[in-house]
Amino acid sequence: MQSRARALVVLGVIAVAVALFAVLKGNDSSSSTTTTANGKPLVITIDKSGKPVGGVASLTVNHGGTIHFTVDSAVADEVHLHGYDIPKDVTAGGSVTFNVPATIEGVFEAELESRHEKILDLTVNP
């Protein structure tokens, strides 16, 4: 009977430890990925043909974090962050920066609106 009681106590301690870890960890927005692999902020460069240099960029951010990227463009257009419905005009040779709280979870894109050119795949994790 004592070994059964000990086993229940050990299971109880493990359950409390797991619950405590989950509560203390919470929504860890500090693990949001808002930088490139080399640790620099994401910059999307648009060439003279209106295409993203290196292809469509990817960005993953945790809910509660910040969506942060800059578009340097050789062409004038509207950069539209879909899902969040945020449009920003960029001039030829200019840049625009998005610095948006990640409040909506899901998969979204940013595009050069008039060209229908996707430039960013954005994932906001729970």
Side-chain angles (χ1 to χ4, degrees), residues 54-65:
V56 176
S58 294
L59 180 63
T60 301
V61 180
N62 290 335
H63 183 267

Side-chain angles (χ1 to χ4, degrees), residues 35-103:
T35 57
T36 61
N38 62 11
K40 295 183 180 179
L42 177 61
V43 177
I44 302 166
T45 302
I46 306 301
D47 66 20
K48 290 181 180 183
S49 68
K51 305 279 185 196
V53 175
V56 176
S58 294
L59 180 63
T60 301
V61 180
N62 290 335
H63 183 267
T66 301
I67 300 163
H68 181 79
F69 64 95
T70 298
V71 179
D72 290 340
S73 184
V75 297
D77 207 323
E78 176 188 288
V79 179
H80 190 174
L81 179 56
H82 291 278
Y84 284 78
D85 197 26
I86 300 172
K88 291 191 178 194
D89 290 330
V90 63
T91 59
S95 66
V96 293
T97 297
F98 288 77
N99 197 14
V100 181
T103 58

